[in-house]
Amino acid sequence: MEPAQEAEEPPGSPALPAEEPQGGQPAGAPPADGPLPAAAGRGRRGAGPKGLPGRAARGRGRRTPGRRGGEEGGRAARRPRVTVDSSKAKTSLEALKISLRQLHWREYPFGRRLPCDIYWHGVSFHDNNIFSGQVNKFPGMTEMVRKVTLSRAVRTMQDLFPLEYNFYPRSWILPEELPLFVDEIRMMKDSDPSWKPTFIVKPDGGCQGDGIYLIKDPSDIRQTGSIQSRPAVVQEYICKPLLVDKLKFDIRLYVLLKSLEPLEIYIAKDGLSRFCTEPYQEPTLKNLHQVFMHLTNYSLNIHSGNFIHSDNVNTGSKRTFSSILCRLSSRGADVKKLWSDIISLVIKTIIALTPELKVYYQSDIPAGKPGPTCFQILGFDILLMKNLKPMLLEVNANPSMRIEHEQELSPGVFENVPSPVDEEVKVAVIRDTLRLMDPQNKKRKDIQCQTSEHVSEANEDLLDIGPADGPERETTRTLEPELPSLCLKQVFPKYAKQFNYLRLVDRVAALFIRFLGVKGTTKLGPTGFRTFIRNCKLSNSNFSMACVDILYIDITRRRNGMGIDHKESGMCLQAFVEAFFCLAQKKYKSLPLHQQVTLLVDFCEYQLAVLDEKRRAVCHADGPHLTPAAHPSLLGRSASASKLSDYRNHR
């Protein structure tokens, strides 16, 4: 991306669309999602002007020479409509229906015998057995963003890059880390008697605020029988959040994970701000249990008598994020820096999640077997501190896409009432996700993807979420002139150059997947682990194969004892990463952990590249001679050889 060509935005409105929408919308608001112009509604196949039959319209088009634009429009109108199976959409159904009407796509609300282009699931990848097309869920995503699993993934990255991952509160996993939590808090209190922390306990599988509570001391943890069967995460509570109208609030941002390989991430330019319903005070023993003051969950605060349903995006208990940004900008806050920090947080979090997601993906959709491609909308819950530093609260695999809320008409009688704030944000996110995933534009998207690889070479210090530019914007205008510009902005691979160095665990996961052996499994057996050690030449006189077996048994037994996954025996990816870190520390002493791991990954990749070339040489001994250009593995070996040379020079 060339910064000089980036469109300048008014301060405080990073969520502005690329083009000024018609109808006098206020600055900073995303395009309206109301009915499309009447001309768009007449875009059905063969429809001519003023409702004339399609045959007559096409006849006039042939008799009139030089009307190339009209003929191209006719061809575009006659292309097959994209088909969407919405039979499993559940709570997102109404927003999805509006989006499909705006796109003029064909919906199958009860399913279809023939394959559809897109399957829209409400909960899980496994809602349907799908062998083609695209599905809006990744296998394993629900498991990956559970509070315990997310905390483990982020902690791994914090071990490697502590400064880059300081946006996630310090966490302990219960019940296995309860003694550690007690000891660490006691030591910190002894060293600083004035320190009076607050902690928040979150059940692993909880949602909508269920089971969350605050404590002042480790002894306050509710040690019931359920803590063994229902693990939890305890985190440092953020006591100094940013307040608006004296109320605490959080931000729900929508993130599209468009692809795992290659990694492609989009962020919505607008989101929702969910407010508490009682004025905030720092936690004390007296107010610790006032959930309407401390917890921002919409599903909790809606039951408060102070909850305000508003048709205005700038007021009420649920507002647009862009309205908050405009307010902050009017106070002199640097909202561009804030957006940059949020984009960085999102990309780093996705990078922490992708290694294990790839393990799940190869298990459900093995290479070489038929299966759908996947994409998914994630809900990032972010809290702004008083100094505008964004902190990650959690990631939702199935963010609510409801665009209505319940209103009590009389005692015990409720009615679903449209929510303009929800509709404005959520319909745009679903509609533009579908536009990006349009299978009929795949060839065009491939060209854009190649373009974005060049764009990713941009070296910008401040990440931006301004208007779309370049081929993406021009193509959208050409093919969909009646629709607003995309509300989703690509942030990866656009900013890949700034974050690729963090993708270290991705490379470790690639080694893990290579030695899994049996397709469809997610755990490495002892034979696979020994093969990994042998092929990478990691055993020696100081580290025998007997030591390898002890390492495998020790880590695997401890991980299985944590109750992470008993469905199949063996070493999971997290256990393999722990073993890999241990090997790196043995092999390269007196270096920071991320350098040790980088050197060991380089070493393993080189050894495997040499091994692969030897095997191919045996297979092709009697075959034609292959030049490096015709044999990608030789090029890979050259790259690995240069890595090994760097590693030797470093040593």
Side-chain angles (χ1 to χ4, degrees):
M1 186 183 74
E2 298 179 9
Q5 297 177 0
E6 186 79 3
E8 187 67 23
E9 298 177 0
S13 303
L16 277 173
E19 296 176 307
E20 183 71 15
Q22 300 298 319
Q25 270 187 274
D33 295 315
L36 295 174
R42 294 195 298 268
R44 295 188 298 273
R45 175 174 177 172
K50 296 184 181 180
L52 291 173
R55 187 183 301 275
R58 289 195 297 271
R60 285 197 304 275
R62 285 194 295 271
R63 287 195 298 270
T64 306
R67 308 184 81 172
R68 183 175 179 85
E71 293 173 3
E72 289 180 352
R75 284 198 295 271
R78 290 195 297 272
R79 70 174 187 168
R81 292 167 70 185
V82 178
T83 57
V84 179
D85 183 335
S86 63
S87 60
K88 304 290 184 180
K90 298 191 177 180
T91 58
S92 62
L93 185 58
E94 190 58 36
L96 177 64
K97 285 180 178 294
I98 295 174
S99 301
L100 294 176
R101 285 198 297 269
Q102 293 182 2
L103 294 170
H104 308 300
W105 289 6
R106 178 167 293 172
E107 178 191 4
Y108 288 87
F110 304 107
R112 186 191 189 198
R113 289 185 179 179
L114 295 174
C116 282
D117 296 311
I118 294 175
Y119 294 83
W120 196 273
H121 291 180
V123 178
S124 167
F125 171 82
H126 298 285
D127 283 353
N128 265 333
N129 292 322
I130 304 169
F131 302 100
S132 63
Q134 301 177 94
V135 61
N136 71 318
K137 301 292 178 187
F138 277 96
M141 181 66 81
T142 302
E143 292 79 5
M144 272 308 302
V145 299
R146 290 170 72 100
K147 295 173 181 64
V148 167
T149 320
L150 174 64
S151 296
R152 291 189 194 280
V154 174
R155 183 184 295 176
T156 298
M157 300 304 295
Q158 287 174 333
D159 290 341
L160 291 168
F161 308 101
L163 295 180
E164 287 86 342
Y165 280 83
N166 62 359
F167 56 80
Y168 193 67
R170 185 162 39 174
S171 307
W172 295 265
I173 297 166
L174 305 179
E176 67 262 19
E177 293 181 356
L178 180 57
L180 177 65
F181 172 57
V182 172
D183 292 342
E184 287 188 1
I185 300 307
R186 183 183 295 115
M187 289 175 58
M188 286 187 280
K189 283 186 174 181
D190 290 343
S191 61
D192 184 7
S194 64
W195 184 54
K196 296 180 180 179
T198 303
F199 304 97
I200 183 167
V201 182
K202 304 176 181 179
D204 181 40
C207 61
Q208 300 180 340
D210 176 42
I212 298 177
Y213 61 96
L214 273 60
I215 61 173
K216 297 293 286 184
D217 190 83
S219 61
D220 298 330
I221 291 177
R222 301 169 189 171
Q223 296 199 40
T224 61
S226 63
I227 198 169
Q228 298 296 330
S229 58
R230 192 183 185 190
V233 170
V234 57
Q235 295 178 322
E236 282 189 276
Y237 181 75
I238 300 168
C239 294
K240 297 188 180 297
L242 177 70
L243 303 180
V244 171
D245 299 330
K246 299 182 180 180
L247 298 172
K248 179 181 175 181
F249 69 97
D250 73 354
I251 305 159
R252 163 63 59 85
L253 280 183
Y254 297 96
V255 175
L256 170 63
L257 181 56
K258 186 172 181 284
S259 168
L260 263 185
E261 195 61 54
L263 184 60
E264 196 166 352
I265 308 168
Y266 289 76
I267 297 181
K269 298 179 184 178
D270 205 356
L272 298 173
S273 299
R274 292 95 52 95
F275 281 77
C276 288
T277 47
E278 290 184 10
Y280 179 77
Q281 298 174 7
E282 289 197 21
T284 64
L285 291 175
K286 290 183 178 180
N287 66 31
L288 210 57
H289 306 293
Q290 296 184 22
V291 294
F292 297 147
M293 176 188 295
H294 295 294
L295 303 185
T296 55
N297 303 73
Y298 166 78
S299 54
L300 292 178
N301 283 279
I302 195 173
H303 299 295
S304 167
N306 297 328
F307 192 91
I308 300 173
H309 292 289
S310 177
D311 293 343
N312 191 325
V313 299
N314 301 299
T315 61
S317 297
K318 186 187 285 188
R319 315 176 194 179
T320 60
F321 180 43
S322 56
S323 71
I324 302 297
L325 290 173
C326 287
R327 189 162 177 173
L328 292 175
S329 178
S330 67
R331 297 177 181 176
D334 187 352
V335 294
K336 286 186 177 291
K337 171 66 166 57
L338 173 58
W339 259 121
S340 178
D341 292 342
I342 289 174
I343 293 171
S344 176
L345 178 153
V346 168
I347 293 174
K348 290 173 181 177
T349 303
I350 296 289
I351 286 175
L353 295 174
T354 50
E356 199 147 2
L357 280 174
K358 290 180 179 179
V359 175
Y360 280 109
Y361 195 90
Q362 65 81 34
S363 173
D364 280 271
I365 312 175
K369 288 191 176 182
T373 56
C374 302
F375 63 97
Q376 189 155 351
I377 298 172
L378 302 173
F380 274 66
D381 290 348
I382 297 170
L383 185 74
L384 296 182
M385 296 178 64
K386 201 171 183 178
N387 61 0
L388 293 186
K389 176 182 173 64
M391 298 293 290
L392 177 66
L393 299 181
E394 60 181 58
V395 180
N396 293 270
N398 301 304
S400 171
M401 287 295 176
R402 289 189 63 176
I403 55 174
E404 67 278 334
H405 59 81
E406 286 186 346
Q407 189 172 33
E408 191 170 14
L409 302 179
S410 59
V413 179
F414 294 88
E415 181 185 29
N416 283 334
V417 179
S419 171
V421 177
D422 286 292
E423 184 171 339
E424 182 171 303
V425 173
K426 295 176 182 177
V427 171
V429 169
I430 291 179
R431 179 194 65 223
D432 291 349
T433 293
L434 293 170
R435 290 164 73 185
L436 286 168
M437 302 309 300
D438 185 349
Q440 296 181 2
N441 295 333
K442 187 176 186 304
K443 188 176 293 186
R444 173 172 60 86
K445 298 301 181 186
D446 290 342
I447 295 173
Q448 290 179 11
C449 192
Q450 294 172 8
T451 306
S452 68
E453 289 176 3
H454 298 290
V455 172
S456 67
E457 295 300 317
N459 185 15
E460 300 177 5
D461 293 329
L462 195 66
L463 311 185
D464 189 20
I465 197 162
D469 53 88
E472 182 178 326
R473 180 176 178 180
E474 293 303 320
T475 312
T476 303
R477 285 179 177 175
T478 304
L479 295 185
E480 299 166 336
E482 75 278 9
L483 293 175
S485 57
L486 288 172
C487 77
L488 295 167
K489 179 71 174 179
Q490 188 194 84
V491 296
F492 200 96
K494 181 177 182 179
Y495 299 115
K497 188 175 181 181
Q498 293 168 250
F499 296 96
N500 272 338
Y501 74 98
L502 298 173
R503 302 185 69 184
L504 195 52
V505 183
D506 253 14
R507 296 168 65 191
V508 177
L511 298 173
F512 176 79
I513 292 171
R514 174 179 173 129
F515 290 96
L516 278 176
V518 180
K519 288 184 178 180
T521 185
T522 61
K523 291 196 172 181
L524 185 67
T527 303
F529 189 70
R530 290 171 65 94
T531 305
F532 156 70
I533 296 292
R534 283 200 197 95
N535 288 2
C536 294
K537 302 187 183 305
L538 297 179
S539 61
N540 52 44
S541 57
N542 296 323
F543 189 65
S544 65
M545 294 307 292
C547 295
V548 170
D549 293 337
I550 293 172
L551 177 66
Y552 176 89
I553 293 169
D554 178 53
I555 293 179
T556 303
R557 183 178 294 167
R558 181 159 41 81
R559 287 279 176 172
N560 290 339
M562 293 177 182
I564 297 171
D565 185 5
H566 291 299
K567 293 179 182 178
E568 55 178 311
S569 61
M571 176 180 273
C572 64
L573 175 63
Q574 291 175 352
F576 181 80
V577 169
E578 182 182 341
F580 197 89
F581 285 10
C582 179
L583 294 169
Q585 289 168 323
K586 286 179 179 292
K587 193 172 180 64
Y588 309 104
K589 297 179 175 65
S590 304
L591 286 174
L593 180 61
H594 73 274
Q595 291 185 22
Q596 294 172 329
V597 175
T598 301
L599 289 172
L600 186 58
V601 170
D602 289 344
F603 181 82
C604 291
E605 288 175 348
Y606 172 77
Q607 295 296 339
L608 294 175
V610 172
L611 180 64
D612 290 343
E613 186 181 340
K614 287 180 180 178
R615 288 173 177 171
R616 276 186 287 267
V618 172
C619 293
H620 298 288
D622 300 325
H625 177 68
L626 295 176
T627 63
H631 207 299
S633 67
L634 298 182
L635 296 176
R637 185 192 172 186
S638 300
S640 298
S642 66
K643 288 180 181 178
L644 185 61
S645 175
D646 292 341
Y647 136 73
R648 285 173 174 161
N649 292 336
H650 185 90
R651 292 207 63 186

